[in-house]
Structures are given as C-alpha cells and as structure tokens.
Amino acid sequence: MASLARRAMSLAQIPSARVPAASVCQRRGLSGAADQHGSTKVDFWKQPTNPGNWKEEHFVLISLSGWGLLFYSGYKLFTGGKGEKPVEAAQ
C-alpha cells in the first residue's frame, strides 16, 4: 500500500503527467516548411546539365534508367544482339 502511495505522489510531481490546455493546441503551424536550406531543387528538364539541383525522385529515376540502359546495351553487345533466326524450310 505504501508503494502505491509513493507512485501516486511521484506521478503528481511530474509536470508532464498533467496536460494543460496550452500543450494540446498546435503552436508552430506550418512554420517549418517556409524556410529553404540550400539550393532550390528543380525538375530535371529545366536544368538537364546540373544534376546537383535536380529533385531527389527525378535523380533516382534518371539514374535507374541509365543503369538499365547500360546493362541492356552490355547484354546485347556481348550476346551479339542476335534474336532467333527463322528456320528455312527444306525442299
């Protein structure tokens, strides 16, 4: 019983245990989205020669497309780029 009383007293002393009305409402709103840190990111078609300023998702898509093209070209180069030859009918 004494330990229960001690726990109740310790909870009463913690200020975060009580929720005042001021901490329930939002204080900062959308203030974090207004300030830009660093350079502004642009679409890749607006500055195609400057990948450092591209948006991250555009950079990822272009990079993956480039790697895919590289692997496909290498595959076609080393396999001779040949498809199946049609079989000639014997007469």
Side-chain angles (χ1 to χ4, degrees):
M1 196 63 157
S3 65
L4 185 61
R6 269 185 265 138
R7 283 189 200 157
M9 288 295 289
S10 66
L11 284 177
Q13 292 175 356
I14 299 174
S16 64
R18 290 175 267 131
V19 181
S23 68
V24 175
C25 60
Q26 189 175 6
R27 293 182 184 178
R28 295 193 64 208
L30 298 173
S31 63
D35 53 346
Q36 292 286 331
H37 298 289
S39 63
T40 305
K41 300 298 182 184
V42 296
D43 298 324
F44 74 92
W45 55 86
K46 292 182 181 173
Q47 290 184 356
T49 58
N50 193 359
N53 285 344
W54 292 354
K55 292 182 179 178
E56 183 179 353
E57 57 271 14
H58 291 185
F59 183 79
V60 169
L61 289 174
I62 298 294
S63 299
L64 290 176
S65 300
W67 280 107
L69 180 66
L70 180 71
F71 282 124
Y72 183 73
S73 300
Y75 168 75
K76 285 296 185 180
L77 178 70
F78 290 117
T79 59
K82 301 175 190 171
E84 290 188 27
K85 293 184 179 179
V87 179
E88 296 181 16
Q91 292 185 4

